[in-house]
Amino acid sequence: MYEWNLRAASAVMELTGAVEVIARNALDRELTSWADRRNVGDWLDEAPLDPRGRQDVVKAAERAARGGSRDRHDRLVAELSFGFWRYLLSSRYHASLWVPDLHRAFPRGPAELRSRRREVEGRMHRLHLARNRAAHHEPIHQRDLHRDLDDALELLGWIHPAAAEWAADVTSLSAVLDARPSG
């Protein structure tokens, strides 16, 4: 079971990595649109983030400053954690960011915006927890990994069906789950 748990943890990291990159790119696209419509600078500097969100951006900027010559915006986006993106989906940003723009990152989710935000946030929360357990080498064999896989693929499908299909094809959690030893 320990060996299977290692493979499962690896597969969870692979899957949640795909979710993180696809979701952050979709959210970044909508936040960039938010800033463009308001004719302000980079959303990373202008979005109405709470103190925790603002501090996450400051820390990401510090890490990005050490990271070479890529575009500042792209470096900062890449340095922001899964947790940052997850918290952008919380109720605290419902009126300021979700309703005007962020809901567009998940156009195929539930029709009602409050329900969509809750459903997206719930899936991101569960996937963030699964990723953290896997990353910290904690046992994950008792998690409902089938649910985590379903959450990830459904969330990606809400962004774009091709994203879900791609993740289903290139990530290994489904095969690892099929190979789970009994006992």
Side-chain angles (χ1 to χ4, degrees):
M1 189 55 93
Y2 179 77
E3 291 173 8
W4 181 86
N5 196 82
L6 286 172
R7 285 190 291 282
S10 229
V12 165
M13 293 299 293
E14 184 180 69
L15 179 66
T16 57
V19 169
E20 180 177 357
V21 169
I22 292 167
R24 83 168 181 221
N25 288 345
L27 291 165
D28 175 52
R29 180 187 65 237
E30 297 309 327
L31 287 164
T32 297
S33 177
W34 173 90
D36 289 347
R37 278 196 301 285
R38 285 157 184 77
N39 201 28
V40 297
D42 194 325
W43 72 262
L44 289 159
D45 300 319
E46 303 296 332
L49 301 175
D50 67 10
R52 178 182 178 160
R54 185 58 45 215
Q55 185 60 32
D56 286 346
V57 171
V58 167
K59 288 179 183 176
E62 291 168 359
R63 288 189 302 272
R66 299 182 289 237
S69 62
R70 282 191 354 211
D71 175 77
R72 173 191 180 267
H73 178 88
D74 290 344
R75 283 195 320 261
L76 270 157
V77 167
E79 288 291 342
L80 290 164
S81 70
F82 195 142
F84 173 84
W85 301 106
R86 178 190 142 204
Y87 285 113
L88 274 184
L89 303 168
S90 69
S91 61
R92 73 180 59 115
Y93 295 117
H94 184 82
S96 61
L97 294 174
W98 179 262
V99 171
D101 289 281
L102 289 184
H103 72 276
R104 291 183 180 97
F106 306 90
R108 291 161 186 87
E112 199 273 315
L113 292 186
R114 190 170 305 279
S115 295
R116 186 183 316 174
R117 188 198 52 74
R118 279 194 304 262
E119 293 293 324
V120 168
E121 178 187 17
R123 281 160 182 75
M124 288 285 281
H125 174 74
R126 288 189 298 273
L127 292 167
H128 186 236
L129 291 175
R131 196 282 312 256
N132 285 352
R133 287 195 64 95
H136 295 284
H137 311 288
E138 297 173 14
I140 61 169
H141 63 274
Q142 294 179 341
R143 279 191 66 81
D144 185 348
L145 296 175
H146 287 283
R147 181 180 182 183
D148 293 333
L149 177 60
D150 291 346
D151 278 349
L153 296 179
E154 185 171 40
L155 185 67
L156 292 174
W158 289 347
I159 295 169
H160 196 284
E165 291 171 17
W166 174 81
D169 288 344
V170 301
T171 62
S172 61
L173 185 56
S174 183
V176 169
L177 290 171
D178 290 344
R180 182 184 176 123
S182 58

